[in-house]
Amino acid sequence: MYSNYQNFLQKEIADIKEAGLYKNERIIVSPQGAEIKVNTGQTVLNFCANNYLGLANNPELIKAAKEALDTHGYGMASVRFICGTGDLHKQLEAKIAEFFGTEDTILYAACFDANGGVFEPLLNEQDAIISDALNHASIIDGVRLCKAQRFRYANADMNDLEEQLKAAQKYRFRLVVTDGVFSMDGNVAPLPQIVELANKYDAMVMVDESHSAGVVGRTGRGVTEQYNLRGKVEILTGTFGKAFGGAIGGFTTGKKEIIEMLRQRSRPYLFSNSIPPLVAAAGLKMVEMMSTTTTLQDKLHHNTEYFMEKMKKVGFDIKPTQSAICAVMLYDAKVSQDFAARLQEEGIYVTGFYYPVVPKGQARIRVQLSAAHEIEHLDKAVAAFTKVGKELGVLK
Ligand SMILES: *Cc1c(COP(=O)(O)O)cnc(C)c1O
């Protein structure tokens, strides 16, 4: 029975390899951090994790998680509404709402689930969703699962957003949805203009803060902090898998009736397990840390500026960033792959991106800065970039 399908898959996989799009996984044998050990025995500097605040191996978070293992056990073995709600889950939901200045929060196993389960229960075919063209895959999938009419606007293009809002006027309710930070360029969504247009055309706004929470805004409270719009957006989603500790888990936070309805009808919430208590406990510690000091944000912002400045000075073409994502533009797909491979030999872990992940002729290396990086790490990375840049003749 399987052999025809096996042949089919083998051919598809060969095609993926042929096109140079096959994803090989690199195996890390140490905790996630600035310096990681890989299974070849090499120790490398990591510049491609979402570990923006360096919390993935933070001693205080580890301690909180260990304590929760003793007090609350390992797993919940239930969805929230049957018997999967613990005191730590409720505390974390309240703390996340406090952190973002929202009314209530609902936890999910991942932000992929938060986005997958947010549209379908709230909107139907009488309504319209207006989505940025570069929104995350989980938003695209969530929109697909919903019966609402779909409108798309070019990335951060406010003229196009206005056109789409006009076209959507005949529907009952409208929701504009955007990533807070777009992961390929590191640009922040123009939220003041989005909110203004939403007010003008009677729409609600949703922001996915996955790459911006912990990173953007003076105290890391994301795009709504950056633009002084705390509490002015109906729905925020986010992850505990990036700056917020890097383990697992996601959330939707916002207006209380919206969260209440999601608890009743959101399918990834109703039909999937609760996050483990130890993750909730570490999440609580994370919010506490972020509410008492901005040391990590300050260090991250400083590291980002430092790295960008040095890279520009040696002649790299760097996209302006408003986040901890730094796109080193190489334009040519093959150069981006050769560059990343050479950097790995030099002990620097980064990823080269090219079409179809970014537009044709826009190949690049994406560098992600972290508060875990020390200046010596940044200097080493710049030196390696410079060496390889000279070899490949890409410096200006
Ligand atoms: C990473 C990411 C997600 C998915 O988060 P997980 O918690 O890992 O599922 C969703 N949206 C955006 C914008 C992201 O960058």
Side-chain angles (χ1 to χ4, degrees):
M1 284 306 290
Y2 181 56
S3 67
N4 282 346
Y5 190 64
Q6 185 179 33
N7 288 337
F8 167 79
L9 283 187
Q10 283 170 347
K11 169 140 195 341
E12 288 280 298
I13 291 165
D15 288 349
I16 294 172
K17 285 186 177 157
E18 183 79 17
L21 298 175
Y22 192 83
K23 296 177 192 65
N24 283 301
E25 298 178 1
R26 302 182 284 202
I27 298 171
I28 300 173
V29 297
S30 66
Q32 188 65 277
E35 256 181 13
I36 51 173
K37 203 167 163 210
V38 292
N39 65 342
T40 58
Q42 199 187 8
T43 297
V44 296
L45 294 180
N46 192 359
F47 283 89
C48 54
N50 300 316
N51 189 22
Y52 296 120
L53 298 177
L55 294 178
N57 191 30
N58 179 279
E60 284 188 65
L61 263 56
I62 293 170
K63 183 162 169 277
K66 279 182 176 166
E67 281 168 13
L69 269 177
D70 291 336
T71 56
H72 288 72
Y74 176 61
M76 289 304 291
S78 173
V79 299
R80 290 285 299 277
F81 82 98
I82 296 181
C83 56
T85 299
D87 52 350
L88 297 173
H89 297 95
K90 292 311 291 179
Q91 286 167 33
L92 182 57
E93 286 176 340
K95 284 290 174 196
I96 289 292
E98 204 179 297
F99 186 80
F100 286 100
T102 48
E103 294 174 1
D104 197 6
T105 304
I106 175 172
L107 299 178
Y108 288 86
C111 188
F112 208 104
D113 290 330
N115 287 334
V118 70
F119 302 103
E120 186 262 344
L122 299 177
L123 303 168
N124 68 23
E125 61 281 351
Q126 294 173 266
D127 309 314
I129 298 170
I130 303 122
S131 180
D132 188 291
L134 290 191
N135 278 342
H136 190 259
S138 54
I139 294 177
I140 295 169
D141 284 8
V143 171
R144 280 187 188 140
L145 292 169
C146 173
K147 292 199 174 67
Q149 315 298 322
R150 298 168 202 168
F151 296 83
R152 207 166 74 136
Y153 62 98
N155 178 231
D157 181 334
M158 294 298 99
N159 293 327
D160 196 12
L161 173 58
E162 183 157 21
E163 289 313 306
Q164 302 307 319
L165 279 163
K166 281 181 189 160
Q169 283 306 292
K170 59 176 179 281
Y171 298 103
R172 182 182 59 169
F173 302 120
R174 280 156 295 285
L175 175 65
V176 179
V177 54
T178 181
D179 279 11
V181 162
F182 294 92
S183 64
M184 287 300 142
D185 287 357
N187 57 316
V188 168
L191 198 59
Q193 292 89 323
I194 292 174
V195 168
E196 197 181 311
L197 284 171
N199 287 338
K200 183 168 171 193
Y201 292 97
D202 191 21
M204 299 179 283
V205 176
M206 166 175 156
V207 181
D208 180 342
E209 295 267 24
S210 288
H211 276 289
S212 38
V215 174
V216 173
R218 197 184 63 80
T219 68
R221 281 162 168 76
V223 177
T224 61
E225 178 186 17
Q226 173 96 343
Y227 292 119
N228 214 4
L229 288 164
R230 269 163 68 77
K232 298 282 185 342
V233 161
E234 282 76 15
I235 303 171
L236 298 176
T237 59
T239 181
F240 297 111
K242 293 187 171 114
F244 280 0
I248 194 80
F251 58 86
T252 300
T253 189
K255 298 294 180 198
K256 64 179 192 299
E257 298 80 7
I258 290 177
I259 304 303
E260 196 174 357
M261 183 54 83
L262 293 175
R263 280 191 214 285
Q264 299 306 309
R265 299 243 175 100
S266 179
R267 292 165 69 83
Y269 182 80
L270 293 173
F271 299 107
S272 189
N273 200 14
S274 289
I275 58 167
L278 67 103
V279 170
L284 281 164
K285 178 52 81 178
M286 176 278 297
V287 179
E288 186 193 311
M289 282 168 61
M290 293 198 44
S291 304
T292 44
T293 152
T294 60
T295 313
L296 295 175
Q297 281 82 26
D298 295 345
K299 190 168 171 202
L300 175 62
H301 296 155
H302 178 258
N303 281 353
T304 307
E305 275 168 36
Y306 183 88
F307 182 79
M308 299 274 293
E309 278 311 307
K310 291 258 153 156
M311 289 288 282
K312 277 190 215 157
K313 207 169 258 172
V314 297
F316 280 102
D317 182 359
I318 309 278
K319 281 221 177 201
T321 187
Q322 298 161 288
S323 63
I325 291 166
C326 172
V328 182
M329 300 306 293
L330 298 167
Y331 302 100
D332 184 83
K334 183 162 185 321
V335 172
S336 74
Q337 294 312 289
D338 293 348
F339 208 115
R342 277 290 294 119
L343 280 173
Q344 187 164 331
E345 287 166 13
E346 296 292 324
I348 307 293
Y349 248 23
V350 290
T351 317
F353 290 101
Y354 57 101
Y355 182 80
V357 180
V358 293
K360 274 211 172 101
Q362 292 284 310
R364 67 196 64 185
I365 286 182
R366 179 177 72 177
V367 175
Q368 290 174 287
L369 282 311
S370 168
H373 292 134
E374 302 301 338
I375 293 297
E376 72 203 53
H377 298 139
L378 303 177
D379 287 341
K380 268 191 194 163
V382 174
F385 262 98
T386 308
K387 181 175 173 192
V388 177
K390 281 183 182 153
E391 268 174 38
L392 298 181
V394 301
L395 293 179
K396 278 187 287 201

